Structure formats: C-alpha cells, structure tokens
Amino acid sequence: MFPNLFSPLRLNSIEIRNRIVSTGHQTVLVSNGIPNDELAAYHAARAKGGAGLIILEVGAVHETAFFSTHTIKAYQDNCIPGYRKVARAVQQHGANVFGQLFHPGREIYGLAANGTRPVAYAPSNIPAERYLLAPRAMSKDMVEEIIDAYADTAVRMAESSLDGVEVVASHGYLPSQFLNPLVNVRTDEYGGSFENRLRFLRDISKSIRGKVGDDFPLGLRISGDEKAAAGLQQRDVMAAIDALDGEGAFDYYNIIAGTSATAGGAVHIVPPMRVENGYVAPVSATIKQRVKMPVIVGGRINQPQEAERIIAAGQADMCGMTRAMICDPKMAQKARRGAVEDIRACIACNQACIGHMQVDAAISCIQHPETG
C-alpha cells in the first residue's frame, strides 16, 4: 500500500530500512541525566514496531547547556553505557538510532535540582519573550569551547554505538540564535554579516567531522520558519541551508517549524489538533528542491497515507511520525501489512505526551497508556 514509505534510504554510510522517523522528543524517562532501562524499553518498542530511524532526545553538549533536570548530560563520559544500552535495544530490532547534540542558549525551561535558575549563555545578552531571564553574552573563548564540546559529545555518541548524530538548531536554540541578526549582535567573527553568523554552525560541522570522520552520519534539525516576528524567516533559513549544503556540511536536513522563544512560536514544537496535518511539508518541499542531501519533515504527520503522499509528491524523503508512534508503537508494522484500520491515530490532544513533560511526569498517551 505504501511503496515510497517502505523503501530504504541511504544516509551517508548507513541504509535506513524505511522512511518512518521517530524524531527527538523529551520523555522524562531519563534518570540523573543518564539514559536508562526505561528509555531503552521505550525506544525498543518503536523499533520493534517497525520504525526505520529513531532519533533520541536531546543530549546536552556542555555544562552550560542546561534545559531541564530531565536532559541527558551527554557532556559526561558516564552517559556512554546508557546510550549503548539504548543503541542495542533499538538495533536488535532492525532500526537505526541517532543522538541529538543540544545547547539551548538563552532558552532555559526548568529550574536546577536545588531550585535555582541556572545562568543562560547566548550569543548576545538579549532575552527571549517567553523566558524571563537575561542571558550572558558568551566570550569568544566560550564559543570556541562549546564548538569543541559538540564534537566531543558526538565522539561519545559514536563510542556508544549510536549510528549517527543530529545538531539541534531548531526552535530558537543556540545555533539559530547565532543565525538570527535580531538575537546575535556580536561584533566579532561570530556576529554581524551573514557569513559571520553562519560561522558557528559551520565550525560545529567541521569540528564534528574532524573528530568522528566523514562517514559518520551528521544531520541538522532546523525550523524552516520560526513562525515569530523576531524569529528566523523562511528566506533566512534557506540562505543558511544553501550555503551549508554547498559545502556538504550535513548529510540530511530535519525540517520542522516554530521557536521556543515566543508563545506563538512554541505552539509549533508540538502542534495541537487545530493545526493542519502535514502542514510543514510545503516548507520542506521548497528546501528539498534546492539541496543535494535528503530531507526529513515533521509536523502532525499522524497517518501512513499522509507520509506516503508527502514522499510521493517529492516534498520530503522521510517523515517524522513521532506522536503517531507514541500513540501506536506498532503503527509502521501495521501499515506495512496493510492493516491501516487497526492503527490508533494520534489526535494531537497533547494531554499525556507534552502535557506530562510540563508537569514532570513520564511520557504517555491517552490512547495507549502503556507508553512510557
């Protein structure tokens, strides 16, 4: 029924068995910043259920990359055994698994374990609308240290037997803060002109390639449109992707919408039921027409027929179907055998997935309470 959806796809040195992706999302299953048995079981269920690629939740690349107490502390070597446990659990079912390299910059969500708000570091000391804190501008030495930290964290993930890594530049997080001229008002080589603002992402890619090699898959997750007046617009993102793609900086682009910096932009991080299904596909289609590398798109793609249509139309190469598999971990397996009427369809109620995260509870689903 779905010839495009269930065709394999090559990402650098590896072949993904189909075009169905579980994109990175917080689960609140991590304990003390370390991947554990619960996280391994959660992702194993989706791998066993037929997903092609599973991208794990964000891993902080540096001690300043605090987002919440549930974030994986991937800047520490003690995360390696936990990542390895998750990798084995996923790979034994035939799926591939990537890690996410993350620094939120000024976008700090929660409080530290002692109840205080950590210091936020950003390209410049310009606060976000949604978070009531003033970030400190990074020194040039700190910028270079964090660039190295992205690469060192990628090395840990490679040593953990993960199949690849993805740099998170989506939703207004640190790399997009460097790209945004309204947020980055630096006067050194990391601010000012477009080339200077792109330097942070470009240097991250070069540093990672230099430490893990050219054959290790490296992707970029980025909002094609941040959906905010002071956010990156589609033309800004296209210019950045054009430049990076021309250099072969990344092996794929994972396109989504929105920003964490504003209330209106944050809606698109986990779009609710009033948002049209597959609504980011026109943005990914524009990008796909211009790049050499494969494109993933997410944004309320909750049924296999929607994903098949997007891929068949050339709007993307793979589809992020994350909540579809929170709601039904066997969605891919059922679609492959044509049992589409047996699929529990995500209705984007957001009650027990993102809703649970906001009250520090483990991920679940009102239609599949076993999740998490």
Side-chain angles (χ1 to χ4, degrees), residues 5-8 16-22 42-54 89-90 92-96 304 318-319 321 324-325 328-337:
L5 191 59
F6 288 101
S7 61
I16 312 295
R17 64 181 173 184
N18 61 47
R19 312 299 181 93
I20 297 171
V21 184
S22 175
Y42 172 81
H43 288 297
R46 279 133 199 86
K48 186 177 180 180
L53 174 62
I54 290 174
V90 169
Q92 69 176 335
H93 296 295
N96 294 98
M318 304 181 79
C319 287
M321 305 185 72
M325 289 184 284
D328 192 338
K330 297 179 181 177
M331 183 275 298
Q333 190 182 90
K334 291 175 181 179
R336 190 176 186 91
R337 68 172 189 260

Side-chain angles (χ1 to χ4, degrees), residues 227-260:
K227 304 280 188 183
L232 290 173
Q233 308 301 308
Q234 194 171 340
R235 63 181 179 274
D236 304 318
V237 178
M238 257 327 323
I241 290 177
D242 277 347
L244 294 167
D245 193 63
E247 302 164 4
F250 296 95
D251 296 312
Y252 70 87
Y253 304 99
N254 186 352
I255 307 302
I256 196 63
T259 175
S260 180

Side-chain angles (χ1 to χ4, degrees), residues 74-98:
Y75 55 89
Q76 297 179 345
D77 288 344
N78 63 1
C79 72
I80 293 174
Y83 271 128
R84 192 171 287 142
K85 185 180 298 182
V86 177
R88 282 198 300 262
V90 169
Q91 292 160 349
Q92 69 176 335
H93 296 295
N96 294 98
V97 56
F98 288 4

